[in-house]
Amino acid sequence: MVRGRGGTAVTAGTTWNDLVSAALLGAERRTPPGGSPAALLDLAATAAVRRRAGLRPAAAAARPEPAPRDTRPALPAAAARRLALLLTGRAEGGGGRRGSAPDLAELLPQWLAAANARGYRAPAAQLPALLDAARSRTDLRAETLAFAGPRALWLARLNPEWKFALRGAAGHPGPEPQDADAVRRLWDEGLFAERVALLTAIRRRDPAKARELLSGTWSSERAEDRLMFLDSLRQGLSAGDEPLLEQALTDRSRTVRATAAELLSALPGSALAARMSVRARACVSLDRTGPHTPHPGPQLVVEAPYECDNGMQRDGVVPKPPSGRGERSWWLSQVVEAAPLADWSRQLGGRSPAEIVALPVADDWQADLHAAWARAAVRQRDAEWARALIGKPSIPMAEGPGDPARLLTVLRPGDRAAWAAEFIAAHGLSEAFRILGTCAVPWSEPLVRAVVDALEIARDAGSYPWSFSGVMGLAERCLDPAQADRLTPLATLPDEPEGGAPGAGEYWAEAFQRLVATLRMRAAMLDELAGGG
C-alpha cells in the first residue's frame, strides 16, 4: 500500500504504466491514482525513486577495441572552428532572421569536398556530429565518410543510428576480392546495400569476377534486387557484359527486361543494337524525288512499324503506348532510340549528324524522329549528335526535339557553358535552373555575366527575388568566390521601379547581400583550409 498526498491510499499493484496512462488521460476524464493530479505527481516521484533505487548493477561489458589510428594531417585551427559552425548551422555572430546571412547547410558539402581534396582527417570531437549530419542528409554521406575515416566506422559499430556508415561503398572497406570465402559470405548473407557495395567494388577491380558473382545467384534473386544489380552495371558498361544482359532479356520481370535492353542499346556493337538498327533503318529512308514533293531537295520518309512483334518485345520494345500516344509513333520512337546513331550516316548517304537533322521529314514525323534521336544521343553519349539536335540557344526550349538539359550533359564543359550563357541571354532565367545545373563549377566568365545580367533585368522589372530563388541558390554555390567584389554594388538598395511589386527592391538587395556574403564565406573557407585565417 502506498499513500499519496493527504494520505490517499493507492494499491500496491499500481504500475508505472498506470501512472503514465492516467497522466496522459487527464483528471477530467478519470480520477487519477491518489485522487488528484498533485497526488499523481507525488506517486510518480515515489515510483521513480523506487525504480532507480531498485536497479541492480550490471556486469561490466568487455571494453571495445581501441579506435584505429587516422594518420592523415589534422585540420588547421581556423578550419576546425569553421567546421563546428557549419555542423551546428550557426553563422559567426549570427542568430535571428536569416535575411542576408549565408545558408550554412548548403556550404557544408563544399567544405567537405575541399577538406577531402586536401587530405585532412576529421577532428575526433566532431565525428558524432558528422555522422548525425550524414544520417539525415544522404547527399553528404560519401564526402562525410571519406573525411571521417576509419574512426567513424569504429563509432558506427557502437551506435545503431549510424549503421548506414557500415553499408556505404565509400565508407565500408569490404573484403578483399582475393578473399573468396569472405566475398561469398557477404554476397550470400549481407544486407542488400552491402551486396550492391560489394558488387560495385569488385566490378571496379575485376569486372569478370563481378559478373561471375552475379550470375551465380541471378535466378534466385528477387526481381527488385535483380533490377538494382543490373542498374549497377551502368558504371563501366562493356562488351563483356553483353551475355549477362542478353540473358536478362528473357527475365520474368518486365522492368528487368527493359533495363537490360536499355543497357544493350548503349553498347553500339551489341547484337541487340544491330537488330534495332535493322528495324530502324527499315522505318526511315531518304526520298530523292524532290521536284515532285513540297520540298525541292531530298527529305526523310518515315514508315513506322505496323505491329510490335515478339522479337521487338523481347528486345525491350513496350507494346502498349502511354495514354494519348499512338501505337506506331510509340514503337518507332523506341526502335530509333535503341539503334546505334553511327549507322544513320551510312544509311543516309554519308551525311553528318547536323546534315541529317537538317533534312525535312515528310508527314509530320519530324518531332517523333528527332526526339528519339535526342534520347539516343544521351544514352550513347554521342556529342556530335547532341550538338546537332540541341540546336541554337535562341530557340525556345519547348520547340527543341528533346530535353536540352540532358543533351547538354553530353557536350564538353566549355560548349555546355557557352550554350547556357547564350540561352539565358536570349530567354532570361525562367527555364534556366536545370540548364545551369549541368554546368561545371565554378561557372565560366560568359556564363557568370549572363546570369548576373539576367538577375539585374529581373530586379529592374520589379518582380520579387524569390521567383528566382533556385538560380540565386545555384549562384551562391557555383560562382567563383572572386566575383564577390564585382557583385557588391548590386547589394545596395535600388530605386523602386514604377509599377514594381511593393518592397521588391529591399528584398533584392537582401538577396544580393546574401550572395556576396556567401561568396566571401566560401573564399574564407578555402583560405582556412589552406592554412590561412
Side-chain angles (χ1 to χ4, degrees), residues 211 215 218 230 233 237-252 256-265 267 269-276 279 311 313-316:
R211 286 192 294 271
S215 299
W218 179 261
L230 269 193
L233 301 186
L237 184 68
S238 71
D241 299 319
E242 185 176 358
L244 176 62
L245 294 172
E246 277 284 342
Q247 176 191 346
L249 285 178
T250 58
D251 196 272
R252 53 188 180 275
V256 171
R257 294 197 303 271
T259 300
E262 180 189 344
L263 292 173
L264 283 168
S265 67
L267 290 172
S270 69
L272 179 138
R275 296 194 294 270
M276 297 303 264
R279 294 180 181 117
Q313 293 184 47
R314 181 187 180 278
D315 285 342

Side-chain angles (χ1 to χ4, degrees), residues 220-414:
S220 60
E221 303 287 356
R222 301 182 307 167
E224 55 266 38
D225 292 354
R226 293 199 302 276
L227 179 62
M228 294 302 293
F229 289 141
L230 269 193
D231 205 54
S232 71
L233 301 186
R234 292 182 190 278
Q235 293 291 332
L237 184 68
S238 71
D241 299 319
E242 185 176 358
L244 176 62
L245 294 172
E246 277 284 342
Q247 176 191 346
L249 285 178
T250 58
D251 196 272
R252 53 188 180 275
S253 164
R254 183 174 62 82
T255 52
V256 171
R257 294 197 303 271
T259 300
E262 180 189 344
L263 292 173
L264 283 168
S265 67
L267 290 172
S270 69
L272 179 138
R275 296 194 294 270
M276 297 303 264
S277 181
V278 170
R279 294 180 181 117
R281 285 184 282 120
C283 295
V284 182
S285 59
L286 193 62
D287 181 5
R288 300 179 185 276
T289 59
H292 308 293
T293 68
H295 302 286
Q299 64 175 339
L300 294 176
V301 177
V302 175
E303 190 72 21
Y306 286 92
E307 64 172 341
C308 184
D309 57 35
N310 292 335
M312 291 169 64
Q313 293 184 47
R314 181 187 180 278
D315 285 342
V317 178
V318 179
K320 185 175 181 181
S323 178
R325 184 82 181 265
E327 286 184 330
R328 295 184 63 203
S329 163
W330 174 241
W331 299 332
L332 172 75
S333 296
Q334 295 178 81
V335 167
V336 172
E337 180 181 345
L341 287 165
D343 290 356
W344 290 109
S345 182
R346 292 191 290 271
Q347 164 82 352
L348 301 173
R351 288 175 169 81
S352 68
E355 292 170 332
I356 293 172
V357 171
L359 287 169
V361 182
D363 301 327
D364 297 328
W365 284 104
Q366 178 172 310
D368 290 297
L369 187 59
H370 285 192
W373 277 336
R375 290 192 294 276
V378 174
R379 182 182 295 184
Q380 297 170 33
R381 313 304 296 170
D382 192 313
E384 190 175 3
W385 271 92
R387 194 176 299 109
L389 287 158
I390 198 171
K392 296 179 180 178
S394 57
I395 300 174
M397 189 180 289
E399 296 180 14
D403 184 342
R406 298 194 66 194
L407 287 170
L408 278 177
T409 62
V410 186
L411 303 185
R412 292 178 302 179

Side-chain angles (χ1 to χ4, degrees), residues 44-103:
T46 303
V49 171
R50 183 185 298 119
R51 282 156 55 92
R52 292 175 182 174
L55 284 177
R56 294 181 176 178
R63 299 180 65 179
E65 293 293 323
R69 292 190 61 196
D70 191 338
T71 57
R72 294 175 294 175
L75 282 172
R81 288 194 295 274
R82 179 74 65 185
L83 173 62
L85 290 172
L86 295 176
L87 286 171
T88 55
R90 291 184 287 107
E92 286 176 313
R97 176 184 172 188
R98 179 188 173 214
S100 58
D103 186 341

